[in-house]
Amino acid sequence: MPTVVGDAGGVGAHGSGGLPGSGLPDGNMSGLSGSGGLTGSAGNASGSDGGLDSPSIVGSGGSVGSDGSVGSDAGSEGNHEVAFGGAPAAIPGTVQAEDYDTGGPGIAYKVNAINGTANGYRSDGVDLENTTDTGGGLDLGWTAGGQWFRYTVDVATSGTYTVSFRVASMAAVGTKGGTLHLRTPSGINLSGAVNVPGTGGWTAWTTVRASVTLSAGQQVLELFEDTGGYNLNYMTFGL
C-alpha cells in the first residue's frame, strides 16, 4: 500500500479538522482525513483530497513512558521485538542478563524508572552496570517488583532444564534478598518462585537454581522481578 502525505495537511494537538486513523501501540496510524485536515500527535496522515486508498503512515519522534509503556506518539523505531544482536540465545547455554531483546519499553522490557551506570552497552540500555563477577561484563541491577525483561531463545531439545541464576543481594547472609521467576510473555509461570538469598553485598555473587520445561524451537522467555533487592548477571540453562 502507498505511503502518502497530503499537501495540505498539518500537525495538530488533537487531530481536529480531519478524520484521524486508529492508533496502534507503536505509533503507526492508518486512516483518512478530509481536505486540509490536521493530523493528531500520534503520527497519522492527512490528504489534500480525502480520497487516499488506505495509506499507512508511521509517525516520527516517538516517546516512551517511564513505566515501560509506549507513548501515544511513538515513532517508527524500536517498535517490534528482536533478539539482541539479531540471533536468539542458544539453549542449552548461557543467557546474559544484559542481552534482553530490542524493541523498547513495553515490548522488550518494562521498568519503573530508568537507572544504570553502564547503559552505553546498548542504545536502549536500562538498569545495567559493570559487574565484579568472574568473567566481567555487565549485570542487571536496580531490580523492582513488577519489572520484566524478555529474551528470545532457541531451544535445541525439548525437556526439563535446570536454570542457574547468578545473583547477588545486599541483604544479610541467611536472610531473603528477593524473588523472581521465568514465565512466558502471556504470563504462564515456568519456574515457580525463585528465592534469591542475601549474600551480604551487591557484588557478592552466588548461584541459585530452578527447573523449567521447554519445548524445542525459538521462543521468548520473560524474566519477571517479583521484588527488588538483587542483581542478576546471567542465566545458564542445562539438561
Side-chain angles (χ1 to χ4, degrees):
M1 291 184 291
T3 299
V4 183
V5 177
D7 57 8
V11 175
H14 302 287
S16 59
L19 299 177
S22 58
L24 299 178
D26 61 0
N28 294 341
M29 307 293 291
S30 63
L32 305 177
S33 65
S35 60
L38 298 179
T39 64
S41 60
N44 54 314
S46 63
S48 60
D49 61 2
L52 298 180
D53 182 16
S54 300
S56 178
I57 309 297
V58 178
S60 60
S63 64
V64 297
S66 61
D67 63 351
S69 60
V70 179
S72 61
D73 61 340
S76 59
E77 295 185 359
N79 56 8
H80 60 283
E81 185 175 358
V82 178
F84 181 74
I91 292 180
T94 297
V95 178
Q96 296 290 341
E98 65 269 25
D99 290 344
Y100 52 86
D101 289 350
T102 62
I107 297 174
Y109 65 85
K110 177 183 182 295
V111 293
N112 300 332
I114 302 298
N115 296 292
T117 56
N119 291 339
Y121 170 70
R122 48 186 296 168
S123 61
D124 60 347
V126 294
D127 293 0
L128 301 180
E129 63 181 353
N130 293 315
T131 187
T132 60
D133 197 9
T134 302
L138 303 172
D139 66 65
L140 187 66
W142 293 272
T143 52
Q147 297 188 158
W148 49 260
F149 293 83
R150 290 177 179 170
Y151 302 83
T152 298
V153 300
D154 190 5
V155 180
T157 305
S158 298
T160 299
Y161 287 79
T162 297
V163 188
S164 300
F165 299 87
R166 190 65 171 169
V167 293
S169 173
M170 181 60 76
V173 174
T175 65
K176 183 177 176 180
T179 307
L180 58 85
H181 69 276
L182 286 178
R183 68 180 193 177
T184 67
S186 64
I188 298 174
N189 193 328
L190 299 174
S191 66
V194 179
N195 293 320
V196 177
T199 62
W202 296 120
T203 61
W205 296 94
T206 192
T207 302
V208 295
R209 295 176 175 84
S211 295
V212 297
T213 299
L214 303 174
S215 57
Q218 184 169 310
Q219 55 204 274
V220 175
L221 300 178
E222 183 176 290
L223 173 75
F224 190 88
E225 300 172 0
D226 299 296
T227 73
Y230 51 87
N231 292 339
L232 174 68
N233 190 4
Y234 55 78
M235 303 171 282
T236 298
F237 295 75
L239 285 172

